[in-house]
Amino acid sequence: MPIAILALALGTFGIGTTEFVIMGMLPIVGADLGVDVPTAGQYVSSYAMGVVVGAPLLTALTVRLARRWTLVGLLVLFTLGNLLSALAPTHEVLLATRFLTGLPHGAFFGVGVLVAASLVAPSRRGRAMATVVLGLTIANVVGVPGGTFIAQQLGWRWTFAAIALVGVVATIAVAAFAPRGERDTTTTGSLRAELAAFARPQVLLTLAVVIFGLGGLFASYSYVAPMLTDVSGLAESSVPWVLVLVGVGMTAGSYLGGRMSDRSTLATLAGGLVLVIAVLLALTVLLDSPVAAVVLLVLLGFGSLALGPAIQMRIVEQAGGAPTMVSAGVQSAFNIANSIGAWLGGAVIAAGAGLRAPNLVGAALAVVGLVILGVSGFLEIRERRTTTAQAEPVPAAA
């Protein structure tokens, strides 16, 4: 595996840590800044909206630049956002800094997976993309529980400071090892062509699968800490260790998802969504059992992250020669899912439905995602049949 891909994975490790660690720190941050848990859930949503805005905007601004320096600049902005979060004095300021930190997220993933894919043979592109995404899943094994532990022991501000340090190291690594060539000549480099890729029906359907399918994950996982402590009965000190196990599940899901995606993206997506739906329904019923809750959360992480490489491969396949913006668009869709899921999960809690309810909301969102995937698959099969029929020679008249 080229060392440049590992440098990119270090960047996604930092990004994944700052995105997900807030979910394990919501009660701590909320108590320190004087807001309740549903209100603290806005830190999840504000980061997500930063990604939604930043992915198309920063990708459009950098589409003609050398990818190496684009990646470095994005990591510098990410590092600055975490430093400012560590210093945020109020709830409102932290909302703003979380938004700022989210801005480079989508563009970094979008460019990073394309750089990784360009460094390996076509038959290994799924695994190369999965390795970049693996930084995100390792963040859930090491970064998120580690950051939660730091927050419990030293305070949440030290967590963001530690993530900023990871950002500095990742910036240096990417600057040193990313390909030094200019912009990838296998793509158009045209902003018009990049934007036109969004008009392709399969691109839009894949993005919709991300929004609803992964919205199911975030409706539940955004409130994992209060669910484990208030319903499952686990001690607050146990939460980081549960997050470690969930991260292991995510890592395994991302790895196997990459291998399966090299065979069939549709089958990988369908299998992952079915698993997510089943797990969320089971969590609704079994959340009061600590053992069952932990096992099911690990399976939720496995099924959800198995979708990542398949989504990236499918969106790039459908984008033709203009994959940069749609690849970044996956991260926008991912974080729309994050924002919608966290908001709906918090809304049902605030309405008095209890901490089990976000799991039902998540299952419903994932069902919608599965239906949309079915439509996408149907259209693809019909298109293949039409293409095959048109390619068949017409029998000569007798």
Side-chain angles (χ1 to χ4, degrees):
M1 186 68 65
I3 194 169
I5 296 179
L6 299 180
L8 293 169
L10 180 61
T12 60
F13 169 79
I15 290 173
T17 300
T18 206
E19 178 178 22
F20 288 110
V21 75
I22 193 67
M23 298 171 187
M25 303 192 306
L26 283 184
I28 300 171
V29 180
D32 186 50
L33 296 181
V35 297
D36 58 18
V37 169
T39 303
Q42 294 173 8
Y43 304 135
V44 178
S45 300
S46 61
Y47 181 92
M49 292 312 298
V51 181
V52 172
V53 172
L57 177 62
L58 295 182
T59 303
L61 291 174
T62 59
V63 70
R64 294 182 177 275
L65 301 180
R67 286 178 169 172
R68 175 173 174 242
W69 294 115
T70 295
L71 292 167
V72 169
L74 294 170
L75 284 172
V76 169
L77 181 57
F78 163 80
T79 302
L80 176 63
N82 279 287
L83 282 174
L84 293 175
S85 293
L87 299 172
T90 66
H91 168 70
E92 292 75 17
V93 173
L94 184 57
L95 286 176
T97 60
R98 288 287 291 171
F99 178 85
L100 174 66
T101 308
L103 288 175
H105 177 128
F108 184 86
F109 270 88
V111 176
V113 295
L114 295 178
V115 169
S118 72
L119 295 174
V120 298
S123 62
R124 297 182 60 85
R125 285 177 180 169
R127 275 165 276 189
M129 290 181 177
T131 300
V132 175
V133 177
L134 193 63
L136 178 67
T137 61
I138 293 176
N140 284 279
V141 179
V142 179
V144 172
T148 303
F149 179 79
I150 291 172
Q152 291 173 348
Q153 301 301 314
L154 301 176
W156 60 270
R157 298 180 188 278
W158 286 101
T159 298
F160 285 121
I163 297 170
L165 179 60
V166 172
V168 171
V169 176
T171 302
I172 295 171
V174 170
F177 298 114
R180 297 177 180 272
E182 292 302 307
R183 178 181 50 80
D184 186 0
T185 57
T186 63
T187 63
T188 63
S190 164
L191 180 57
R192 179 178 297 178
E194 294 284 346
L195 291 172
F198 284 100
R200 296 170 177 254
Q202 289 290 7
V203 168
L204 295 175
L205 286 169
T206 302
L207 293 175
V209 170
V210 177
I211 291 171
F212 289 98
L214 289 175
L217 165 68
F218 289 112
S220 171
Y221 198 58
S222 296
Y223 302 95
V224 64
M227 280 195 296
L228 288 172
T229 56
D230 296 355
V231 182
S232 301
L234 292 175
E236 185 180 85
S237 59
S238 300
V239 173
W241 299 108
V242 175
L243 297 180
V244 169
L245 294 176
V246 175
V248 171
M250 289 180 171
T251 302
S254 181
Y255 174 76
L256 291 177
R259 296 187 70 86
M260 292 186 293
S261 297
D262 283 326
R263 299 180 182 180
S264 172
T265 56
L266 274 176
T268 303
L269 289 170
L273 286 171
V274 168
L275 180 58
V276 167
I277 293 166
V279 167
L280 288 172
L281 291 175
L283 264 175
T284 305
V285 178
L286 301 174
L287 188 60
D288 55 352
S289 167
V291 174
V294 171
V295 171
L296 289 170
L297 285 169
V298 171
L299 289 174
L300 179 63
F302 177 89
S304 299
L305 268 294
L307 301 174
I311 289 166
Q312 288 288 353
M313 280 196 68
R314 184 162 180 79
I315 205 82
V316 170
E317 289 169 355
Q318 300 297 334
T324 306
M325 285 201 71
V326 293
S327 183
V330 170
Q331 295 303 313
S332 287
F334 185 83
N335 281 273
I336 291 174
N338 190 339
S339 183
I340 290 174
W343 179 77
L344 289 175
V348 295
I349 294 172
L355 286 166
R356 296 175 188 266
N359 297 304
L360 280 178
V361 172
L365 289 171
V367 166
V368 175
L370 184 61
V371 171
I372 294 171
L373 180 65
V375 173
S376 176
F378 171 78
L379 292 176
E380 181 174 304
I381 292 171
R382 188 177 68 175
E383 182 179 353
R384 286 176 182 173
R385 288 177 178 174
T386 301
T387 302
T388 301
Q390 291 175 346
E392 290 178 353
V394 178

